[in-house]
Structures are given as structure tokens and as C-alpha cells.
Amino acid sequence: SREMAADMAVPFVVFAKPPVPGKAKTRLAAKIGPEAACRLAEAFLFDTLTSASQCQQLAPVLSTTEDGMPQGAFSADAIPPGSAFPRWLQPDGDLGARIEAMFITGLEQSRAVICSGADSPGRHPDRLREVIEALESGADAVLGPTEDGGYDLVALTRCEVGLFAELPWSQPTTFEATKARFEERGLQVHVLGFWWDVDEGEDLERLKQLLSEDVARAPATARALQALGL
């Protein structure tokens, strides 16, 4: 059996830089302004880390850039106060090189690792549970596709060097190219249902609708939206 013991929680590695007005969520900022977009980026990260920490089989980790490593780099609006999430430094290189480095680091200490962005608040807890169940059932890889052609999370039980090399990033083909690469390398891939990233104004409207029906999905984001009058 490949059961994951509860005391061996799977690293849930969230990729995030400290949000800075003008650099955070730039497409959203074009619609709502840089300060508001930055505040939402903080809330998205807060909710992503919180939802992962509520799943006892996951151990949240913050994967960040050099500027995110100092203790005070992220505000209390971005990281739940009192939480001591480990921070793993992203190396230089494209997104593929950074994802690969996090998997190699994590798989040295755990039999599976999940990497996630912080742009998809409001995911149902069942989405994370399905990842764990797929890994326990023998999948080597799990991909969570997003409607823009990318993915909001990826999980692996093994990662050879070069697995993510020269894939098309931020393209409508990112998910399909990654899935094809995994299959070429002999990985058994489990695919989740579609989710979406909050990048554009219409994505924000959709998120507000979701939270009006179930605020528990992303409480910090709901509070930020209210405080910003959005």
C-alpha cells in the first residue's frame, strides 16, 4: 500500500513573492488599481496557506524569491499570524526550473510533493483531498488544469532532472504540454477537474459570486473585497 501516514504530511509548496503595488496582479491592477490588487494578492496567499493548513495530510511551505526570505517580508495580511511555515528559496531560472527545484528539495524528505500557485482562492477542499487520494491510489503525478490552459497545482512522487525543462509557460498549451511530458517520461497522471485563476476583472466578479454563496472558501479574500469596496 502507498498510504501516506498522517504524521508524514505532504509538503504543499505555495509559490509567492511578497506582493508589491505595481508588481502584484498587474492585469487585475489595470482594472482595480495597484494598491487594491496588491491587497487582494495578500489575501489570496493568506487563504491558500490557510486552506492547506486545514488539511491534516498537508504541510504548507512558502516557496519564495530572495526578497521573500526575511522574516518580515510578508505582511500579516499575507501570512496567517503565528504560523511558522518553512520557506524554500526559489533558484534563478524560468518557472520550470523553479518548480523542478522545489520538487527535488521536497522529495528528498517526503514521498510526494504538491506545488501550487496563490492565484486560485476559493478552491473547494475536495480538490486538495482528491490530489492526496490520487497519490495514495498510485498516481505518479496529479495536474489541476485551469481554464486558461495552465494549471493551479501539480503533484509528483518522483521528479527527474529536466522534467519541466523548456515547457511553454503562461500559454494556452501549458497544461497539455506538461501532461504530455509526464506521460512521455512514463508517469501515471491523474487529472483533476478544471478551476480558474483570478487574473482579470471578470475572474474577480466570478470569485465574488462564489464567495457570496460560500464565504468559507476564502474568508480573507472576502474580507479584503469588502474592505476595498469591491
Side-chain angles (χ1 to χ4, degrees):
S1 160
R2 297 173 57 164
E3 285 292 310
M4 296 186 202
D7 58 352
M8 281 299 294
V10 174
F12 185 85
V13 184
V14 180
F15 281 63
K17 299 175 185 174
V20 176
K23 291 186 177 173
K25 308 297 302 171
T26 48
R27 281 182 283 167
L28 208 50
K31 177 99 181 199
I32 63 173
E35 296 289 341
C38 180
R39 178 68 193 83
L40 284 179
E42 291 179 327
F44 292 177
L45 176 57
F46 191 105
D47 282 326
T48 302
L49 290 167
T50 302
S51 63
S53 59
Q54 287 165 349
C55 179
Q56 67 186 57
Q57 289 141 309
L58 301 178
V61 172
L62 187 58
S63 168
T64 191
T65 42
E66 196 76 62
D67 57 342
M69 293 301 282
Q71 205 43 53
F74 289 85
S75 78
D77 291 322
I79 294 187
S83 51
F85 300 122
R87 294 188 199 188
W88 294 356
L89 179 64
Q90 294 176 19
D92 294 332
D94 73 355
L95 183 56
R98 289 180 279 137
I99 292 175
E100 186 177 296
M102 295 303 103
F103 274 118
I104 288 169
T105 299
L107 288 168
E108 284 169 1
Q109 54 189 265
S110 176
R111 58 155 300 278
V113 174
I114 304 166
C115 287
S116 170
D119 298 314
S120 311
R123 288 186 292 215
H124 197 280
D126 284 353
R127 191 169 181 80
L128 302 186
R129 282 195 283 268
E130 186 181 341
V131 178
I132 299 281
E133 284 163 12
L135 294 169
E136 285 178 344
S137 301
D140 303 307
V142 181
L143 279 166
T146 49
E147 291 173 0
D148 61 4
Y151 39 93
D152 62 311
L153 47 78
V154 51
L156 291 170
T157 58
R158 54 191 168 99
C159 180
E160 58 193 65
V161 173
L163 183 62
F164 291 90
E166 293 174 32
L167 286 169
W169 298 108
S170 303
Q171 300 294 323
T173 53
T174 302
F175 162 73
E176 288 295 349
T178 305
K179 180 171 176 280
R181 171 73 57 84
F182 287 179
E183 289 169 343
E184 276 163 25
R185 298 289 175 93
L187 299 178
Q188 193 76 36
V189 185
H190 178 85
V191 177
L192 306 176
F194 281 98
W195 193 249
W196 82 94
D197 286 344
V198 181
D199 289 324
E200 310 280 357
E202 53 266 34
D203 303 326
L204 195 57
E205 293 306 315
R206 188 172 173 185
L207 178 64
K208 281 154 59 178
Q209 181 63 40
L210 177 79
L211 295 179
S212 72
E213 293 160 12
D214 186 1
V215 73
R217 294 271 202 109
T221 298
R223 286 194 298 274
L225 287 165
Q226 195 168 14
L228 292 164
L230 292 170

